Amino acid sequence: MAAKPIILSKLPDRHVPIGQALAWAAKKRGVSRWRIGFDIMRRVLGRQKLSPDEYFMYGLHRGEMTDAERDAFLGGRAVTALNAALAGGKRRNLSDLINDKVKTTMVLERAGLPTSEMRAIYVPQGAPGPWPILSSAAAIAAYLLTPGHLPVFGKPLAGSRSLGTISIIAAQGDQVELGDGRRVNALALATEIVAAFANGYIFQELLRPHPEVERLTGPAIGALRVLTLWQGGAAVPLYTFLRLPGKGAMADDVGSGLANAAAFVDLDTGIITRAQYANDLGGTTVDVAPVTGMPLIGVALPDFARAIQLATQAHAMFAQHGVIGTDTVLTDRGPIILELNANPLQSNFQRCSGTGLLNPKYRPLYLAALAEKGITKPQRGLPLP
């Protein structure tokens, strides 16, 4: 039997048992399975491009929802098409630059915005740079085992959905201690990194959450995602949520199977109003933090206004790009930008808020942002206008 990987490099297959979900939803709503099945199919094939899994994960099976509320939800394919339209076309698309965590950090630092300190970078063909460049598994292992280099936080250079993230706390002999308490061979870890992330991997300072946030997330970092749209010459904040790591997690990853959650935060007040576990069916709320058990609802986040301001300032560095998701960490020394995402998937938002992306509040803002890109008429594959 193959050894269990040290780091998660791909999302596990995880599906809703559709037959059971249909039967349960039909019984709960007092309708036939055929009626719910037909509703699923028209949303799979229509402009929403929802998968059957998404239908249940977003809670569209709930009997109290209206058809208009169900119509506001978008599946992953529809969101990707919407984000691509807002990116401005291939010739003006900054997605590759924004998703490159090293280049983005350099741009943000030059603008004077607080970012997580870069410590070292793995790239297969090493080249001189402002940080130590590691070009092999042996070089990575040597770096991690050198006194004074730890603790660090590692992640893929151009990754997403927290895949490949890891915290490395200390070293002893030929082993390193991970943030979840495991001790692993440094070269074995480095070999996995090289095999899984050929495009590059970075090591940053290991940030510590603000004490008030740590009461919710535990010691692992839970990023605050702020989504902004570019319109009228400025970045307009649309929504925000706080990722809540699960027990034993080293980061707010979505694929480990740990019971991580997301908490929707009111944009005007910075107060958590609703939360949901990532793998629960939509509409199933969670009122306490997964790790600490502390109450979530009604908690006001520290330094919230500054975090929103940083997100709008970061977006201004890439004004041609119509939509950006900024991940900011509320640390013990203030908000710090962790990374930017050029194709924010919106799934966490639709789960933790219990509302669809094209709800009456957000739909006009998306229409205005698209209009600035010259899109005012229906286009194939685009859920708006």
Side-chain angles (χ1 to χ4, degrees):
M1 180 181 294
K4 184 178 179 180
I6 299 172
I7 54 177
L8 185 73
S9 59
K10 63 179 181 179
L11 289 173
D13 292 330
R14 188 178 293 123
H15 298 288
V16 174
I18 301 301
Q20 296 177 29
L22 275 172
W24 172 79
K27 183 177 181 180
K28 187 174 182 179
R29 288 174 55 180
V31 299
S32 72
R33 282 181 288 182
W34 289 105
R35 178 174 171 180
I36 296 177
F38 176 78
D39 190 45
I40 292 174
M41 288 309 300
R42 72 185 185 90
R43 299 181 190 281
V44 168
L45 300 175
R47 65 168 185 83
Q48 292 174 270
K49 297 294 185 291
L50 285 161
S51 71
D53 280 4
E54 288 171 325
Y55 183 92
F56 288 103
M57 293 303 291
Y58 294 153
L60 275 68
H61 57 278
R62 289 175 285 164
E64 68 271 20
M65 292 186 72
T66 66
D67 273 345
E69 289 170 333
R70 293 187 180 94
D71 290 343
F73 285 81
L74 294 183
R77 288 184 298 156
V79 167
T80 296
L82 182 57
N83 289 344
L86 289 169
K90 292 183 178 179
R91 293 182 62 185
R92 301 178 63 190
N93 197 323
L94 299 175
S95 294
D96 289 343
L97 172 60
I98 294 169
N99 289 334
D100 186 313
K101 297 176 177 60
V102 173
K103 293 177 181 177
T104 299
T105 296
M106 295 175 72
V107 171
L108 297 178
E109 284 183 350
R110 192 173 182 85
L113 299 179
T115 63
S116 180
E117 179 187 337
M118 199 76 67
R119 296 288 177 80
I121 307 172
Y122 160 69
V123 286
Q125 286 78 39
W131 308 285
I133 303 297
L134 314 173
S135 59
S136 66
I140 294 174
Y143 176 83
L144 296 177
L145 294 174
T146 300
H149 285 170
L150 301 181
V152 293
F153 184 74
K155 61 185 179 182
L157 185 148
S160 63
R161 306 182 79 175
S162 299
L163 286 175
T165 57
I166 191 170
S167 57
I168 308 169
I169 307 301
Q172 183 175 8
D174 63 354
Q175 293 191 322
V176 291
E177 179 185 349
L178 306 184
D180 60 5
R182 288 180 293 162
R183 292 183 179 272
V184 301
N185 181 273
L187 184 58
L189 170 62
T191 300
E192 278 195 21
I193 289 172
V194 169
F197 305 107
N199 291 329
Y201 195 87
I202 63 178
F203 297 96
Q204 297 174 298
E205 65 173 316
L206 184 60
L207 298 170
R208 184 175 180 84
H210 188 287
E212 293 179 31
V213 176
E214 190 170 0
R215 295 176 70 243
L216 305 180
T217 65
I221 288 295
L224 182 75
R225 164 62 61 88
V226 181
L227 186 124
T228 50
L229 292 177
W230 190 264
Q231 60 179 101
V236 178
L238 197 70
Y239 66 72
T240 182
F241 60 82
L242 178 69
R243 295 193 182 98
L244 301 167
K247 291 182 179 180
M250 292 181 283
D252 53 18
D253 63 303
V254 297
S256 67
L258 300 171
N260 60 308
F264 183 67
V265 185
D266 183 82
L267 198 58
D268 296 323
T269 63
I271 293 175
I272 294 174
T273 59
R274 188 183 184 276
Q276 182 175 312
Y277 283 116
N279 295 320
D280 279 354
L281 293 184
T284 309
T285 60
V286 55
D287 295 327
V288 298
V291 172
T292 66
M294 297 298 295
L296 289 171
I297 310 306
V299 172
L301 298 181
D303 300 325
F304 183 76
R306 176 58 177 156
I308 300 300
Q309 182 185 43
L310 287 178
T312 60
Q313 291 175 325
H315 195 156
M317 299 297 102
F318 307 93
Q320 292 179 347
H321 206 87
V323 58
I324 291 180
T326 300
D327 287 341
T328 301
V329 180
L330 304 176
T331 78
D332 55 358
R333 63 178 194 267
I336 292 176
I337 298 174
L338 190 63
E339 62 185 54
L340 307 184
N341 193 311
N343 181 29
L345 299 179
Q346 322 283 14
S347 55
N348 263 324
F349 159 72
Q350 293 189 120
R351 276 197 293 259
C352 72
S353 71
T355 58
L357 183 64
L358 300 186
N359 60 65
K361 182 177 179 180
Y362 297 168
R363 181 182 173 89
L365 298 175
Y366 268 103
L367 285 170
L370 285 169
E372 291 194 11
K373 295 296 182 182
I375 301 173
T376 58
K377 297 180 180 179
Q379 292 188 5
R380 183 170 181 171
L382 188 66
L384 278 172

